[in-house]
Amino acid sequence: MAALIAENFRFLSLFFKSKDVMIFNGLVALGTVGSEELFSVVAFNCPCSPARNYIYGLAAIGVPALALFLIGVIWNNHTWNLVAECHKRGTKNFSAAATFLLFGSIMGRASVAPITWSVISLLRGEAYICALSEFVKPSSLDKFPAEYGAEVLAKFPCRDVPANLTKFREEVTRRLRYESQLFGWLLIGIVAVLIFLTKCLKHCCSPLSYRQEAYWAQYRSNEDKLFRRTAEVHSRILAAKNVKQFFGFVALDKEEKELVQEFPVEGVQPSPQWNAITGVYIYRENKGFPLYSRLHKWAKGVEGNGPTPEGHELLFLAS
């Protein structure tokens, strides 16, 4: 148990450090597997009661998957860029293809954890057995005693059955586990095919060469790191100036004093500038030159959000 908890803490640490999409999705999947194992060991406890088994079994699979999906949507930067875009500029500048691409990106990234949870739950089979044991037809079991019905079948996951029904419990459990694992493997196959087709479609429809797309990914990563680092320093220096103005002095450590001396901050950026660099960005070119982000576009002084005679929208969203 301690090792499992430590594994999940290591996952969280890597989760917040990783920026690469494939590594990110892999870490989400691994973290979900560990969480599902922890849930099965600690929390899962089939009620073994008619009508309750079905609800509990489906809830054990569906509710965590739904929660993980919503968390994935919340943690996706595209979600809040879309919210900012709708709030500031609306979606009039986006075509149907661009809108579909954006929502597909958000939904796809958010689906990694819930699909992993569902697959692991189905492969383990415990929730599926709990949910459907009472629905097994007694007539499908050879020489099943006629005096027993759904109430006894509902107790099979808990092994709380008469001795003469032990072999039937093992047969029902084996049958339901087979069905559960079959659905799990089918889900894995379907998801793998969809991922393959999506990757093929993305690269076939991409207006960028492989090297330019790799450069764009590097640029986005570096811009985000430098922006966050600079914003942290800028806000610290601005806060120090305001605190000094209020108290007459400010208590800074050696590193902070060096920052204040090295980077003089005169003021803050006006709201129009923040609005210009915030929101959804789809790859565009201006007079044949690429614009890799809203910040890049603002720095070049390009006006407007939609395609213009000088600018061409290529409908390619950053992954």
Side-chain angles (χ1 to χ4, degrees):
M1 181 63 68
L4 186 58
I5 295 175
E7 177 185 349
N8 279 270
F9 276 110
R10 285 195 297 270
F11 156 73
L12 290 175
S13 175
L14 291 172
F15 177 89
F16 288 108
K17 293 179 180 179
S18 175
K19 300 297 182 182
D20 184 80
V21 174
M22 295 302 295
I23 296 177
F24 175 89
N25 291 340
L27 291 174
V28 170
L30 289 175
T32 305
V33 171
S35 299
E36 205 281 338
E37 291 289 337
L38 181 63
F39 173 82
S40 298
V41 172
V42 177
F44 187 81
N45 188 16
C46 185
C48 293
S49 174
R52 295 180 180 178
N53 282 14
Y54 184 71
I55 297 175
Y56 185 83
L58 292 184
I61 299 176
V63 173
L66 176 61
L68 290 170
F69 177 79
L70 295 177
I71 292 173
V73 172
I74 292 172
W75 276 347
N76 194 324
N77 290 334
H78 287 328
T79 302
W80 306 115
N81 284 334
L82 178 62
V83 171
E85 187 73 26
C86 294
H87 177 65
K88 297 296 181 182
R89 289 172 284 269
T91 57
K92 59 183 180 181
N93 293 315
F94 290 102
S95 63
T99 303
F100 175 79
L101 191 64
L102 175 62
F103 276 101
S105 174
I106 295 174
M107 298 299 108
R109 289 284 295 275
S111 298
V112 174
I115 290 177
T116 303
W117 178 277
S118 300
V119 167
I120 297 301
S121 296
L122 289 173
L123 292 179
R124 289 181 61 90
E126 293 180 355
Y128 188 90
I129 294 172
C130 177
L132 298 181
S133 62
E134 64 183 283
F135 297 103
V136 175
K137 294 182 179 180
S139 58
S140 65
L141 302 173
D142 186 31
K143 297 180 180 180
F144 188 82
E147 63 270 20
Y148 297 113
E151 292 186 359
V152 173
L153 290 170
K155 296 180 180 180
F156 277 11
C158 298
R159 303 181 180 182
D160 185 18
V161 295
N164 62 326
L165 297 181
T166 301
K167 67 175 183 179
F168 297 106
R169 185 192 65 79
E170 294 176 353
E171 181 180 351
V172 169
T173 301
R174 183 170 57 252
R175 182 188 303 180
L176 293 178
R177 180 170 284 110
Y178 154 76
E179 294 177 1
S180 179
Q181 292 182 347
L182 177 62
F183 289 139
W185 291 120
L186 288 176
L187 182 57
I188 291 175
I190 292 172
V191 171
V193 171
L194 289 177
I195 292 175
F196 172 75
L197 294 177
T198 301
K199 295 291 289 185
C200 290
L201 183 63
K202 175 184 175 182
H203 288 288
C204 288
C205 298
S206 172
L208 307 179
S209 66
Y210 171 77
R211 291 187 179 277
Q212 188 178 10
E213 187 175 339
Y215 177 85
W216 185 24
Q218 292 174 345
Y219 173 85
R220 292 196 313 269
S221 177
N222 288 326
E223 181 188 84
D224 182 66
K225 291 177 182 178
L226 291 173
F227 189 91
R228 290 176 181 272
R229 191 186 309 162
T230 305
E232 195 278 332
V233 173
H234 186 281
S235 61
R236 186 185 303 183
I237 296 174
L238 181 63
K241 291 181 61 176
N242 293 335
V243 171
K244 183 177 180 180
Q245 185 174 354
F246 183 83
F247 286 106
F249 73 96
V250 58
L252 301 175
D253 57 28
K254 182 179 179 180
E255 179 183 355
E256 290 171 334
K257 289 180 181 179
E258 293 175 353
L259 289 176
V260 171
Q261 293 175 356
E262 184 177 359
F263 305 110
V265 173
E266 301 299 332
V268 297
Q269 288 66 34
S271 294
Q273 289 187 8
W274 285 103
N275 294 337
I277 67 170
T278 303
V280 176
Y281 185 75
I282 296 177
Y283 179 83
R284 291 180 173 88
E285 292 182 356
N286 181 259
K287 298 180 180 180
F289 290 93
L291 299 173
Y292 290 120
S293 68
R294 283 196 171 277
L295 181 60
H296 188 190
K297 181 179 175 183
W298 173 84
K300 290 296 184 181
V302 179
E303 300 293 337
N305 190 43
T308 65
E310 296 80 20
H312 180 56
E313 179 182 357
L314 295 178
L315 301 181
F316 191 60
L317 182 70
S319 56

